[in-house]
Amino acid sequence: MAEKKVIAVVGATGAQGGGLARAILADADGGFAVRALTRRPDSDAARELTALGAEVVKADTGDLGSLTEAFDGAHGAFLVTNFWEDMSPEREKQEAAAMARAAKAAGVAHVIWSTLEDTRDYIPLDDERMPTLMGGYKVPHFDAKAEANQFFTDAGVPSTFLQTTFYWENLLGPMAPRRGDDGRLVLAMPMADSPLAGIAAEDIGRTAYGIFRRGGDLVGRTVSIAGEHLTGKQMAEQLSAALGEDVAYVPVPFDAMRAQPFPAAAETGNMFQFYAEVPQFNAVRDLDVVRDLNPQLQTFQQWLNAHKHAFAGA
């Protein structure tokens, strides 16, 4: 029997990396094995991956030495950063640069870098539609990832750039439908009447697995993904059907979102304004292309049916 190709997965205990790890581990005859990278190999999530058959190793995305050691002998690597941990685009770029150097040093044959568009290509810094943040960004967690693409190109790492999007899982937490004073559930989102490209987090990992299964076919390419493009009104209608009661969509003004009293409010308002006002974001996310890579790609309704009991406001 041929030896399985090892895929080193950064963020294997998180949403994106966890989806990829589980997709590989569920495909016993797929020819790939999981090396799960985590700073906490003793965590419950890491132990769960070990029980499923993953090799779990300790590594830190800010430590070039531990990354290089963790990537040694791996055929592929899935790389992702967590902007929300420090909310620092500079740190995010530093971590991406370290991962690119480590992948090159270890001779990794195929890297998938989880990234996003540079919003400044569509809404320049001098565009007053939205404020400039942190000295040089419109949506820092988008723009920093897009800048980091160059680290992989400059290092000569064989890479696929996987452009992700809004997770529907956000609707189970900070953006969940809330019950108003009149008892009615309300989905409040700053999307005006524009469609939002959304996806189930696990489908990001499943699509990444589809890319690895293609061999080197998508090296040097950008793959932009979504599960479905839906307006807030359409999402509310589907929520109503899943939850068995009426859910109303209320479009929140972008400035009202930016004025909210939480640390990422301005960033969040800018992000949704970008989603709403830049149609190219949805246009490059061809659902047929994504489904070809990931035949299990879920629609919003399928995702809702699997998660409807988790809605806190229902």
Side-chain angles (χ1 to χ4, degrees), residues 168-169 198-203 206 226-230 235 238 287 291 294-307:
W168 289 324
E169 280 75 9
I199 196 167
E202 66 183 334
D203 276 322
R206 288 173 177 168
E228 203 166 2
H229 306 297
L230 296 170
M235 293 174 76
Q238 294 194 33
L287 304 186
R291 199 169 288 109
N294 172 20
Q296 295 177 275
L297 184 69
Q298 298 166 81
T299 63
F300 184 55
Q301 193 67 64
Q302 288 171 325
W303 178 84
L304 278 178
N305 289 339
H307 293 85

Side-chain angles (χ1 to χ4, degrees), residues 26 40 49 86 97 99 111 114 126 139 155 183 190 208 244 251-252 306:
R40 295 183 53 215
L49 287 174
D86 297 295
M99 288 189 285
V111 158
S114 176
D126 60 1
V139 184
V252 178

Side-chain angles (χ1 to χ4, degrees), residues 40-55:
R40 295 183 53 215
D42 59 343
S43 69
D44 289 343
R47 289 195 182 101
E48 182 180 340
L49 287 174
T50 300
L52 291 172
E55 172 195 6

Side-chain angles (χ1 to χ4, degrees), residues 136-158:
Y137 305 96
K138 287 299 187 183
V139 184
H141 75 282
F142 276 57
D143 303 341
K145 288 181 177 68
E147 283 187 35
N149 294 355
Q150 196 63 42
F151 298 138
F152 297 92
T153 301
D154 289 347
V157 177

Side-chain angles (χ1 to χ4, degrees), residues 191-226:
M191 277 301 298
D193 296 324
S194 299
L196 172 64
I199 196 167
E202 66 183 334
D203 276 322
I204 298 174
R206 288 173 177 168
T207 307
Y209 183 41
I211 292 170
F212 280 126
R213 285 173 58 87
R214 291 283 178 90
D217 288 356
L218 294 172
V219 167
R221 301 273 298 278
T222 296
V223 177
S224 304
I225 65 173

Side-chain angles (χ1 to χ4, degrees), residues 5-49:
K5 295 177 179 178
V6 172
I7 304 296
V9 182
V10 169
T13 58
Q16 295 188 34
L20 171 59
R22 288 189 293 274
I24 295 172
L25 293 167
D27 186 8
D29 299 322
F32 294 92
V34 174
R35 180 180 297 164
L37 277 59
T38 177
R39 285 177 297 181
R40 295 183 53 215
D42 59 343
S43 69
D44 289 343
R47 289 195 182 101
E48 182 180 340
L49 287 174

Side-chain angles (χ1 to χ4, degrees), residues 135-313:
Y137 305 96
K138 287 299 187 183
V139 184
H141 75 282
F142 276 57
D143 303 341
K145 288 181 177 68
E147 283 187 35
N149 294 355
Q150 196 63 42
F151 298 138
F152 297 92
T153 301
D154 289 347
V157 177
S159 304
T160 301
F161 298 131
L162 182 66
Q163 291 190 150
T164 63
T165 191
F166 177 86
Y167 302 174
W168 289 324
E169 280 75 9
N170 287 304
L171 299 177
L172 299 175
M175 301 201 68
R178 302 297 180 191
R179 206 169 290 281
D181 293 339
D182 61 358
R184 190 184 189 193
L185 283 174
V186 173
L187 175 65
M189 291 176 56
M191 277 301 298
D193 296 324
S194 299
L196 172 64
I199 196 167
E202 66 183 334
D203 276 322
I204 298 174
R206 288 173 177 168
T207 307
Y209 183 41
I211 292 170
F212 280 126
R213 285 173 58 87
R214 291 283 178 90
D217 288 356
L218 294 172
V219 167
R221 301 273 298 278
T222 296
V223 177
S224 304
I225 65 173
E228 203 166 2
H229 306 297
L230 296 170
T231 64
K233 184 171 183 285
Q234 289 171 325
M235 293 174 76
E237 288 170 351
Q238 294 194 33
L239 277 160
S240 298
L243 300 180
E245 64 174 296
D246 187 43
V247 179
Y249 169 59
V250 175
V252 178
F254 306 124
D255 284 339
M257 174 57 77
R258 285 188 278 264
Q260 293 300 302
F262 62 91
E267 168 116 5
T268 302
N270 280 12
M271 176 187 71
F272 278 105
Q273 187 169 357
F274 174 73
Y275 282 144
E277 296 187 353
V278 178
Q280 295 94 325
F281 186 85
N282 287 1
V284 299
R285 286 163 168 77
D286 185 329
L287 304 186
D288 289 336
V289 170
V290 183
R291 199 169 288 109
D292 188 48
L293 290 166
N294 172 20
Q296 295 177 275
L297 184 69
Q298 298 166 81
T299 63
F300 184 55
Q301 193 67 64
Q302 288 171 325
W303 178 84
L304 278 178
N305 289 339
H307 293 85
K308 59 186 177 182
H309 300 299
F311 279 86

